[in-house]
C-alpha cells in the first residue's frame, strides 16, 4: 500500500537537496543558515511521524530561531538568462503551461478513477489520502514530461526550486505552521471558550445570526492567524459543529466547505498570509507591500457575503 508517508519522504528528498546545494553555494553569505533551515525541514519530513511531540517541538523552535534571527539569505543558483527565457517563451508559447496542468489533472482524474472504478478495491492507496498521494504522483509525472520534452540540465528543477524557495524564505512554510497552530488552539479549548461566548450572545433559535457569526469568526480568525486551516478547528469546535450541525441539523459537508471559503476571504485581506499577499508584492517589486491586498478587497467582500447566504440556504 502506498501511504502518505511515501509523499513525506519524497518531499524530504527535495528539502535535503536544497540543503546540500545551499551549503555549497558560496554566493550566499548566509548559506549555512539556509542549509540548516532546509535540512531541518528534510529531517521533519523524513522522521517527523516517528519523533515525539517534544522532539518535533524542538525542531520547530530551531526553524523559528534560524528565521527569526535573520539566518536565511538568497542564493544565486545557475539559471537561464532573460534573453533565453524570452526565446523559449516565444518558441513554446502556451505549451509551457502543460506541465503545470498535468499536476491537478492527475490528482483529480486519478482520484475519480480510483474511487469510482474497481481500481479502488485493490487498496493501492492509503484510505482517504488518495488525492494527496496522486498530487505527488502528478508532480513526478509532470517532472518526467519536462525532462523528456525540454531536456533541461539534470539539477535544473532542484536549482530552480531552491531559487524560488530562497526568494520566499521562511514564509514558504507559514501555512504548515499556522495550520498546526490551529490544532494547538483547538486542543487548548479556545473553541469551547468562543462557543460559550457565542452561545451567550446569539439569541436562541437565530439561525441567520449563528451562520453570520460562524462565517465572520472564520474570516476574523484567518485575518489574525493568516490561514483558514488554522481558523477552522477553532470555529468548527465553537459554532460549526455544536450550533450549526447539532443544534440546527445543518449539512456538515456544506458548513465545512463554505466555512473554509469564508476563511479564505480573510486570507485575501491579511498581511499575516505573507506567502500569498506580501511575498508576491515583493517578488513583483510593487511600490506598496500591501498592493496585492488592496486589489483583493473588492473580491473578498462580495464573496464573503455570498458564502453566508450559501450556507444559510443550502445547508439547512
Amino acid at each position: 500500500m502506498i501511504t502518505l508517508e511515501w509523499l513525506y519522504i519524497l518531499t524530504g528528498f527535495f528539502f535535503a537537496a536544497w540543503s546540500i546545494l545551499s551549503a555549497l553555494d558560496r554566493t550566499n553569505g548566509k548559506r549555512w543558515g539556509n542549509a540548516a533551515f532546509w535540512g531541518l525541514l528534510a529531517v521533519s519530513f523524513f522522521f517527523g511521524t516517528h519523533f515525539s511531540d517534544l522532539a518535533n517541538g524542538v525542531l520547530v523552535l530551531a526553524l523559528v530561531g534560524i528565521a527569526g534571527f535573520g539566518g536565511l539569505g538568497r542564493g544565486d543558483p545557475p539559471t537561464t538568462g532573460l534573453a533565453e527565457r524570452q526565446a523559449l517563451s516565444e518558441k513554446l508559447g502556451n505549451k509551457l503551461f502543460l506541465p503545470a496542468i498535468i499536476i491537478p489533472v492527475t490528482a483529480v482524474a486519478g482520484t475519480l478513477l480510483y474511487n469510482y472504478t474497481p481500481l479502488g478495491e485493490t487498496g493501492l492507496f492509503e484510505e482517504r489520502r488518495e488525492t494527496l498521494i496522486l498530487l505527488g504522483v502528478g508532480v513526478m509525472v509532470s517532472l518526467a514530461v519536462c525532462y523528456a520534452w525540454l531536456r533541461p540540465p539534470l539539477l535544473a528543477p532542484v536549482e530552480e526550486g531552491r531559487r524560488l524557495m530562497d526568494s520566499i524564505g521562511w514564509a514558504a512554510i507559514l501555512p504548515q505552521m499556522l495550520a498546526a497552530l490551529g490544532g494547538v488552539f483547538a486542543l487548548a479549548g479556545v473553541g469551547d471558550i468562543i462557543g460559550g461566548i457565542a452561545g451567550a450572545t446569539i439569541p436562541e433559535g437565530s439561525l441567520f445570526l449563528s451562520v453570520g457569526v460562524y462565517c465572520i469568526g472564520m474570516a476574523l480568525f484567518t485575518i489574525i492567524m493568516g490561514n483558514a486551516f488554522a481558523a477552522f478547528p477553532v470555529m468548527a469546535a465553537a459554532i460549526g459543529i455544536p450550533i450549526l450541525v447539532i443544534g440546527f441539523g445543518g449539512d456538515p459537508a456544506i458548513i465545512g466547505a463554505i466555512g473554509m471559503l469564508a476563511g479564505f476571504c480573510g486570507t485575501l485581506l491579511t498581511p499575516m498570509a505573507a506567502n500569498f499577499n506580501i511575498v508576491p508584492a515583493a517578488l513583483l517589486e510593487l511600490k506598496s507591500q500591501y498592493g496585492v491586498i488592496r486589489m483583493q478587497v473588492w473580491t473578498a467582500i462580495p464573496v464573503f457575503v455570498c458564502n453566508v447566504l450559501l450556507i444559510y440556504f443550502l445547508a439547512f
Side-chain angles (χ1 to χ4, degrees):
M1 176 188 292
I2 300 176
T3 67
L4 197 58
E5 190 76 18
W6 291 36
L7 189 57
Y8 291 158
I9 294 173
L10 175 64
T11 307
F13 276 118
F14 277 93
F15 282 122
W18 293 336
S19 176
I20 294 170
L21 291 172
S22 293
L24 298 174
D25 185 2
R26 297 183 181 275
T27 66
N28 184 357
K30 298 181 178 180
R31 57 177 176 148
W32 296 115
N34 284 41
F37 190 84
W38 303 126
L40 285 172
L41 271 177
V43 170
S44 175
F45 277 92
F46 283 140
F47 308 110
T49 54
H50 306 289
F51 285 169
S52 66
D53 292 341
L54 177 61
N56 278 308
V58 171
L59 190 151
V60 169
L61 289 175
L63 290 171
V64 172
I66 294 171
F69 286 100
L72 296 178
R74 186 168 179 174
D76 187 25
T79 185
T80 53
L82 182 60
E84 188 176 358
R85 294 178 190 175
Q86 184 66 32
L88 286 171
S89 175
E90 293 175 356
K91 177 182 178 181
L92 300 174
N94 290 333
K95 294 178 182 178
L96 284 170
F97 291 102
L98 177 63
I101 294 173
I102 288 174
I103 299 173
V105 168
T106 302
V108 175
T111 301
L112 292 175
L113 285 172
Y114 186 80
N115 288 330
Y116 296 100
T117 67
L119 185 62
E121 299 175 4
T122 62
L124 178 62
F125 299 132
E126 181 182 353
E127 189 177 358
R128 295 192 299 276
R129 298 291 186 268
E130 301 91 345
T131 302
L132 288 173
I133 295 171
L134 285 164
L135 185 68
V137 172
V139 171
M140 299 308 296
V141 170
S142 177
L143 191 59
V145 169
C146 285
Y147 272 118
W149 176 33
L150 301 175
R151 305 292 176 88
L154 181 62
L155 292 179
V158 180
E159 290 284 23
E160 289 293 342
R162 181 168 71 92
R163 178 179 64 82
L164 179 61
M165 294 297 277
D166 281 358
S167 299
I168 298 174
W170 58 265
I173 64 170
L174 191 59
Q176 180 184 354
M177 295 290 189
L178 291 172
L181 180 62
V184 171
F185 275 21
L187 290 173
V190 175
D192 295 334
I193 295 172
I194 295 175
I197 296 173
T201 304
I202 301 172
E204 185 176 355
S206 179
L207 174 59
F208 187 77
L209 279 179
S210 299
V211 170
V213 170
Y214 170 65
C215 291
I216 291 172
M218 278 295 302
L220 288 179
F221 261 86
T222 301
I223 289 172
I224 294 170
M225 302 169 75
N227 191 296
F229 289 98
F232 184 74
V234 176
M235 294 310 300
I239 300 175
I241 295 174
I243 297 178
L244 297 182
V245 176
I246 299 177
F248 288 102
D251 186 320
I254 294 176
I255 291 170
I258 302 180
M260 284 294 291
L261 290 177
F264 294 154
C265 292
T267 302
L268 298 176
L269 303 174
T270 178
M272 284 296 293
N275 54 320
F276 292 115
N277 299 331
I278 303 303
V279 170
L283 293 177
L284 295 172
E285 299 181 351
L286 301 182
K287 293 181 180 179
S288 171
Q289 64 175 336
Y290 303 113
V292 173
I293 294 175
R294 289 195 182 102
M295 294 302 297
Q296 293 173 166
V297 168
W298 308 112
T299 299
I301 294 175
V303 170
F304 175 81
V305 173
C306 290
N307 287 333
V308 175
L309 297 175
L310 283 173
I311 291 182
Y312 183 74
F313 287 109
L314 294 181
F316 302 95

